[in-house]
Amino acid sequence: MTEVRNFLLAGAIAATLNFASRLLFSEFMTYGYAVLCAYCVGMACGFVLTRHFVFAPSARVVHGEIVRYVLVNAVAVTQTWALSVYLASVLTPGMGAALAQSLAHAAGIALPVVSSYIGHKYFTFRTVS
């Protein structure tokens, strides 16, 4: 249970950076691009935290873990981006763009939590025998 708790804590920190950086990126680019760039910020933070505080060392070289981490997150970023952009477009007419984008982005960040945990546990950081 400690592993799940640590994964959720590391994810919450990475998600906070993801969300905050999207607000900054939105000042300079469209919402969809801001979501993608912010995801990269959160992903970098998430890798460091997950590698050091969640899973036991896999005995792989770090660049091998990074490649696997990016592959798992390629699925997650697709989920995050699609839900964030879709929900923002649906919610905007009723509540305005800024609030709609924030709620949509929060939902998009939360969507891949379970799939990411499974992917990182059994693929990215799986102990090499």
Side-chain angles (χ1 to χ4, degrees), residues 18 22 26 30 32 37 42 49 61 70 126:
N18 181 333
R22 198 266 312 154
S26 289
T30 65
C37 290
L49 293 174
V61 294
V70 169
R126 182 188 63 184

Side-chain angles (χ1 to χ4, degrees), residues 1-13 49-50 53-55 113 117 121:
M1 206 55 166
T2 301
E3 182 180 271
V4 172
R5 184 194 69 222
N6 290 350
F7 183 81
L8 292 173
L9 182 59
I13 293 167
L49 293 174
T50 302
F53 300 111
V54 179
F55 297 112
V113 170
Y117 175 77
K121 180 175 179 70

Side-chain angles (χ1 to χ4, degrees), residues 32-79:
Y33 285 119
V35 168
L36 291 175
C37 290
Y39 193 90
C40 291
V41 171
M43 186 171 60
C45 172
F47 175 77
V48 171
L49 293 174
T50 302
R51 186 169 192 270
H52 291 288
F53 300 111
V54 179
F55 297 112
S58 70
R60 284 189 182 83
V61 294
V62 72
H63 72 272
E65 288 180 342
I66 290 170
V67 168
R68 288 169 174 259
Y69 194 85
V70 169
L71 288 172
V72 169
N73 278 283
V75 174
V77 73
T78 303
Q79 295 171 329

